[in-house]
Amino acid sequence: MDAVFLALSSQTRRKMLDLIQNMPGCSVGDVAKYFDCSRIMVMKHLDTLRAADLLISRKVGRRRELFFNAVPIQMIHDRWTTEYSRFWATKAIDLKHMLESRQQKADP
Amino acid sequence: MDAVFLALSSQTRRKMLDLIQNMPGCSVGDVAKYFDCSRIMVMKHLDTLRAADLLISRKVGRRRELFFNAVPIQMIHDRWTTEYSRFWATKAIDLKHMLESRQQKADP
DNA sequence: TCCATAGGTAACAATAAGGTTACATATATG
DNA sequence: CATATATGTAACCTTATTGTTACCTATGGA
């Protein structure tokens, strides 16, 4: 989940993801055409997106075809819609753990 | 928007936000009790959350009272619900700009 | 007043992210 | 085959994030 938010924390990456979503199967070079940064930086950004599972790719010949994967976003979205401002699913469990660890720290 | 995603990209910060949401008006020290990291790091994390406008605070006596602000999350949420996987509002405009700059780059 | 408590700042070190250039590999295509 | 194209990797530098210790300020109470 950290990786998804981290990947989305860059406008450049969000735009790249947007582009790929609108041009499914486009190549790394295609993406690079739309941005001012170097091809290597494009690849690094795409790698960050892939690490967050927001990007799926396959190699076809000498090209790499890129595809947007909505699943991680859907996951976060679902958590947010469940209980609007209380936005992560593990909330209750985490709080329980926190309360337990608090007792340990407060009463050593 | 970058600041919000960046702030949310740390599980520790998400948990802090969760805690403050469940304990409105709690102090910096209160938050620190629930986490293993130092008080200074807690303050830095809180500062990151405040930079994203996810946190509101006021000083009362020598304590600082912390409050969760749902607005930035609501904003992102709204964008996502509008058109699910197409998750940012400036999409159409940005794409237009990208297409324009593409022509400039492709045809110099 | 004296002092413990709560918060804030400064300075620094380690690690990660953003960015570059140079080189390497694989694959279409004349 | 020769070469341009598309992608990948290595090395390196800069900046940002994460984390520390030490010190400072202000407030509440005995």
Side-chain angles (χ1 to χ4, degrees):
Chain A
M1 193 159 177
D2 286 22
V4 180
F5 279 123
L6 186 71
L8 292 173
S9 72
S10 155
Q11 198 187 358
T12 304
R13 282 194 290 266
R14 291 198 300 272
K15 283 188 177 178
M16 285 180 180
L17 212 54
D18 191 32
L19 188 72
I20 292 161
Q21 186 189 348
N22 282 279
M23 296 173 66
C26 68
S27 69
V28 175
D30 289 339
V31 175
K33 282 178 202 146
Y34 291 82
F35 293 88
D36 283 335
C37 57
S38 68
R39 184 182 58 82
I40 291 89
M41 270 318 295
V42 171
M43 284 181 66
K44 287 191 180 179
H45 279 309
L46 294 179
D47 214 60
T48 305
L49 290 168
R50 196 170 50 77
D53 202 31
L54 288 162
L55 194 67
I56 294 167
S57 71
R58 66 169 178 203
K59 191 120 190 197
V60 178
R62 62 184 167 184
R63 292 176 73 250
R64 178 169 292 282
E65 294 187 347
L66 305 167
F67 301 92
F68 170 60
N69 182 27
V71 173
I73 286 178
Q74 183 168 352
M75 213 175 63
I76 291 168
H77 179 274
D78 288 350
R79 292 187 181 190
W80 286 10
T81 44
T82 314
E83 198 182 342
Y84 203 61
S85 65
R86 307 192 164 191
F87 56 97
W88 47 88
T90 55
K91 196 182 101 58
I93 301 157
D94 286 345
L95 191 66
K96 188 174 161 260
H97 287 161
M98 276 192 264
L99 289 165
E100 283 167 358
S101 67
R102 186 207 191 186
Q103 283 201 315
Q104 289 174 350
K105 285 183 81 173
D107 198 10
Chain B
M1 194 158 176
D2 286 22
V4 180
F5 280 123
L6 186 71
L8 293 174
S9 72
S10 153
Q11 198 188 0
T12 305
R13 281 193 291 266
R14 290 199 301 273
K15 283 188 177 179
M16 284 179 179
L17 211 54
D18 189 33
L19 187 73
I20 293 160
Q21 186 189 350
N22 282 278
M23 295 172 67
C26 68
S27 69
V28 175
D30 290 338
V31 175
K33 281 177 203 148
Y34 291 80
F35 293 89
D36 283 336
C37 56
S38 68
R39 183 182 58 84
I40 290 91
M41 270 316 297
V42 170
M43 284 181 65
K44 288 191 180 180
H45 280 307
L46 294 178
D47 214 58
T48 305
L49 291 168
R50 196 172 48 78
D53 201 31
L54 287 161
L55 193 68
I56 294 167
S57 71
R58 67 171 177 201
K59 192 118 189 200
V60 178
R62 62 182 168 182
R63 293 177 72 250
R64 179 168 291 281
E65 294 186 347
L66 305 167
F67 301 92
F68 169 60
N69 182 27
V71 173
I73 286 179
Q74 184 168 352
M75 214 175 63
I76 290 168
H77 178 273
D78 287 349
R79 292 188 181 188
W80 284 11
T81 44
T82 314
E83 200 182 339
Y84 201 60
S85 64
R86 305 190 167 192
F87 56 97
W88 47 88
T90 54
K91 196 181 102 59
I93 301 155
D94 287 344
L95 192 64
K96 188 173 160 261
H97 287 163
M98 277 193 263
L99 289 166
E100 282 166 359
S101 66
R102 186 208 191 185
Q103 282 200 314
Q104 289 175 352
K105 284 184 83 174
D107 198 11

